């Protein structure tokens, strides 16, 4: 099923020509439309400000029936992003049971950046970070800022 | 994601007869941006369209369901599969993939399928009133995902499907598309429902099978004249080969398309060495093959710089002008000499370094020589003492004198080498001479050494045969004879007077 090539091509064009705020998008490999590399700048005023986060967006072969997968390749201290080498972001709309084919990647990216701006501790994948976020906001912010400086400040 | 109220839109679609006109007026010409790439044509096999679908009649771009009325999900799937089988069995030649079409203007978003994000192709409507392409919906139902039985948009269970409003299919039919052969040169625009006919029957840029029975190749329709045009021809001017079909001008001299250059034209214009072109400096017409020489020698207008540039004349300009300038430019007049001198100097430098390495070589040899010389003189001294002890006084004093001379000789030689080295640093040519002289000296020295060795041998034999003074004198004479033969330094004194008994 390669009916999706045209749609993916159009979406890619949309994301490169009018990229969502703070995002630059390119293909990991020019010959493969299914793997996108995204550089996402930490939103101004957030604890991730100044960071440049590298994300990998992988589209399944049966996109858009199945959702894309979003991985942070830069380490992030965030309740909704797994603290492992995968850096999977748990975004509501990306869950298999919530995904709808009409959803578009540009909106996925906007939502992902929105989650950097405002973490959602009630839907966390890293429960200890979520706990800290709720009970010790100062400590959370310090670690998050430290990590941003340490892992995401390089260009 | 722009959410809009489909129900309301659909209500109008079904009830507002002037909607088509209003949509055309409002949205279609809004953004004339072409964001569709023309892909390969074989993605899809759709049924050929009827040649014309006048307003009010059912177009074949509409779904198969158009004729079927309300369908259950499984009936729908069976129908789509049946249709796919038919088209793959009959192998119908279907040149147009509707999905890869490029639209002239951005279509109104109500005509866009949420799954493929392109204008609907054979739309079907679900019981929830959401509309998708027939193929897209089929893929969704077959996707194997959990929600495959739910509407991709609103998640209502899919119960039945029905054909969409005729108005919708008409709006889709009216969409203007670019001919998929646009990259090959076809600049025509068509209503979507006629594009299949255009490509399959009329488009001059569509590749069709070569008419020759034994030829497997394809040829653009515009070149069809019943013959195979795939034989190779030679350029009249050079030896380059090209296919007959590439010589479009010859085949169809009346062709009126604004196509890009054919290969023949391209060859003559850009590659053929016999092709004429115009020197961009002097506008002279030349053969391409002669251009380089023209630029290097003849072109009067090509910019060059004054010959005096190497020593600072900044004048540049057309050759004619600079040539005139160089007749009077003192720097240009001086330049050849300076250049010559530069060349000579660098040649000399190379020679000097060669000679220097030779000198080092010689010096090492000389050191070795000196060492063996010292050895020799000690052994001669020892010999003398022994001969003194045995009473050969005259010969002993003679030997002493010779030894002294040898030492002198060594000193002298050293100082000459020093002189040669310091002179060399100042002047290359002198240096060459000096080192040649050194070489000569070395030979002399070598000769002397040989003589000394002979003498030593003789002295040894003398000692063996008793103290014969005459023999010693003869030996000394032999040394003198050897020295007089060479134009050595300081050795002349050796033969100043014959040794006396
Ligand atoms: Zn579709
Ligand atoms: Zn629905
Ligand atoms: Zn055409
Ligand atoms: Zn042929
Ligand atoms: Zn030629
Ligand atoms: Zn010229
Ligand atoms: Zn000059």
């Amino acid at each position: 099923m390669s009916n999706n090539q045209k749609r993916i091509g159009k979406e890619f064009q949309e994301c490169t020509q009018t990229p969502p705020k703070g995002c630059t998008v390119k293909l990991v490999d020019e010959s493969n439309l299914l793997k996108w590399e995204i550089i996402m700048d930490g939103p101004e005023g957030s604890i991730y400000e100044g960071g440049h986060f590298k994300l990998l967006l992988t589209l399944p072969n049966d996109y858009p029936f199945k959702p894309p997968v979003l991985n942070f390749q830069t380490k992030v201290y965030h309740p909704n992003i797994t603290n492992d080498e995968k850096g999977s972001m748990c975004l509501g709309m990306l869950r298999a049971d919530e995904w709808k084919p009409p959803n578009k990647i540009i909106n996925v990216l906007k939502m992902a950046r929105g989650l950097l701006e405002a973490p959602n501790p009630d839907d966390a994948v890293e429960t200890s970070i979520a706990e800290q976020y709720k009970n010790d906001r100062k400590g959370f912010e310090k670690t998050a800022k430290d990590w941003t400086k340490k892992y995401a400040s390089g260009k | 994601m722009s959410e809009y109220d489909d129900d309301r839109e659909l209500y109008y679609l079904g009830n507002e007869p002037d909607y088509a006109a209003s949509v055309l007026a409002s949205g279609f010409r809004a953004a004339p941006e072409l964001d569709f790439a023309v892909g390969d044509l074989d993605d899809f096999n759709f049924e050929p369209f009827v040649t014309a679908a006048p307003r009010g009649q059912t177009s074949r771009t509409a779904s198969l369901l158009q004729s079927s009325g309300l369908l259950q999900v499984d009936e729908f799937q069976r129908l789509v599969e049946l249709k796919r089988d038919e088209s793959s069995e009959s192998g119908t030649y279907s040149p147009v993939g509707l999905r890869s079409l490029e639209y002239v203007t951005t279509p109104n978003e109500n005509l866009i399928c949420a799954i493929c994000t392109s204008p609907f192709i054979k739309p079907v409507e679900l019981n929830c009133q959401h509309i998708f392409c027939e193929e897209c919906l089929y893929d969704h139902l077959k996707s194997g995902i959990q929600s495959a039985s739910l509407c991709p948009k609103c998640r209502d269970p899919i119960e039945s499907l029905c054909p969409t409003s005729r108005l919708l299919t008409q709006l889709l039919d009216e969409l203007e598309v670019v001919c998929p052969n646009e990259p090959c040169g076809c600049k025509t625009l068509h209503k979507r429902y006629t594009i299949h006919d255009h490509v399959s029957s009329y488009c001059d840029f569509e590749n069709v099978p070569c008419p020759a029975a034994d030829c497997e190749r394809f040829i653009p329709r515009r070149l069809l004249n019943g013959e195979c045009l795939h034989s190779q021809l030679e350029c009249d001017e050079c030896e380059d080969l090209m296919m007959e079909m590439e010589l479009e001008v010859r085949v169809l001299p009346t062709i009126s398309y604004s196509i890009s250059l054919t290969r023949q034209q391209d060859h003559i214009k850009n590659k053929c060495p016999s092709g004429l072109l115009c020197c961009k400096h002097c506008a002279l017409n030349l053969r391409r093959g002669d251009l380089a020489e023209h630029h290097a020698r003849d072109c009067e207008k090509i910019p060059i710089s004054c010959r005096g540039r190497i020593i600072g004349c900044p004048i540049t300009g057309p050759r004619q002008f600079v040539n005139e300038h160089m007749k009077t430019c003192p720097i240009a007049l001086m330049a050849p000499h300076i250049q010559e001198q530069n060349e000579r100097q660098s040649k000399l430098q190379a020679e000097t370094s060669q000679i220097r390495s030779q000198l080092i070589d010689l010096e090492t040899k000389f050191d070795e020589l000196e060492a063996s010389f010292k050895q020799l003189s000690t052994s001669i001294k020892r010999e003398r003492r022994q001969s003194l002890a045995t009473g050969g006084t005259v010969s002993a004093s003679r030997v002493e004198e010779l030894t002294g001379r040898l030492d002198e000789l060594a000193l002298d030689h050293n100082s000459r080498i020093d002189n040669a080295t310091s002179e060399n640093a100042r002047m290359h040519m002198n240096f060459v001479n000096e080192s040649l002289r050194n070489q000569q000296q070395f030979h002399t020295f070598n000769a002397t050494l040989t003589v000394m060795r002979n003498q030593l041998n003789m002295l040894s034999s003398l000692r063996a045969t008793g103290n014969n003074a005459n023999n010693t004198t003869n030996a000394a004479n032999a040394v003198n004879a050897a020295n007089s033969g060479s134009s050595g330094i300081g050795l002349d004194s050796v033969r100043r007077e014959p040794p006396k008994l």
Side-chain angles (χ1 to χ4, degrees), chain B residues 179-182 186-188 190 195 198-199 202-206:
Chain B
C179 173
N181 289 320
E182 192 261 347
C186 184
K187 304 292 180 200
T188 58
H190 305 268
I195 190 64
H198 165 71
V199 171
Y202 305 107
C203 180
D204 277 333
F205 295 85
E206 175 73 0

Side-chain angles (χ1 to χ4, degrees), chain B residues 387-406:
Chain B
S387 65
L388 272 176
T390 50
T393 49
V394 175
S395 95
S397 74
R398 184 72 204 133
V399 167
E400 196 169 16
E401 187 196 329
L402 284 173
T403 314
R405 290 238 173 276
L406 276 176

Side-chain angles (χ1 to χ4, degrees), chain A residues 1-3 6-7 10-11 13 17 62 64-66 96-104 107, chain B residues 1 35-37 44 99-101 114-118 135-136 139-140 143 145-146 152-153 155:
Chain A
M1 178 161 58
S2 61
N3 299 353
K6 187 163 167 93
R7 165 165 172 172
K10 271 162 73 178
E11 289 204 57
Q13 210 171 32
Q17 285 177 354
D62 38 10
F65 301 111
K66 288 185 184 160
D97 53 335
E98 291 217 9
W99 174 257
K100 290 180 183 178
N103 294 346
K104 287 192 166 176
N107 294 311
Chain B
M1 182 77 236
D35 61 337
F36 298 85
F44 268 83
R99 267 170 209 276
S100 41
L101 286 176
I115 294 178
C116 63
T117 68
S118 294
E135 290 278 339
C136 290
D139 288 343
H140 169 73
S143 65
I145 57 170
Q146 258 185 347
K153 262 189 144 167
R155 296 273 166 94

Side-chain angles (χ1 to χ4, degrees), chain B residues 19-141:
Chain B
Y19 189 75
S22 73
V23 167
L24 279 165
S26 65
F28 279 28
R29 297 191 190 91
E33 133 207 358
L34 304 177
D35 61 337
F36 298 85
V38 176
D40 50 336
L41 302 178
D42 308 323
D43 279 355
F44 268 83
N45 284 325
F46 288 102
E47 272 187 73
F49 310 111
V50 288
T51 314
R55 226 162 249 255
Q57 284 180 23
T58 305
S59 136
R60 294 262 194 94
T61 23
S63 165
L64 245 203
L65 311 183
Q66 209 77 33
S67 49
S68 324
L70 202 69
L71 277 178
Q72 299 307 302
V73 173
D74 54 342
E75 287 175 315
F76 166 76
Q77 288 183 5
R78 255 206 338 274
L79 262 175
V80 175
E81 280 156 21
L82 198 73
K83 202 171 69 173
R84 282 186 178 179
D85 291 350
E86 267 174 12
S87 66
S88 68
E89 264 170 41
S90 61
T92 22
Y93 173 60
S94 174
V96 186
L98 286 187
R99 267 170 209 276
S100 41
L101 286 176
E102 196 174 322
Y103 291 81
V104 178
T105 55
T106 307
N108 182 284
E109 67 178 31
N110 296 303
L111 302 179
I112 303 292
C113 165
I115 294 178
C116 63
T117 68
S118 294
F120 294 114
I121 293 163
K122 303 184 186 178
V124 290
E125 187 176 327
L126 304 183
N127 47 291
C128 58
Q129 296 190 324
H130 283 132
I131 301 177
F132 303 96
C133 310
E134 187 180 289
E135 290 278 339
C136 290
L137 186 66
Y138 179 83
D139 288 343
H140 169 73
L141 292 168

Side-chain angles (χ1 to χ4, degrees), chain B residues 64 103 161 189 264 418:
Chain B
L64 245 203
Y103 291 81
L161 312 96
L189 306 177
Q264 166 88 32
D418 287 346

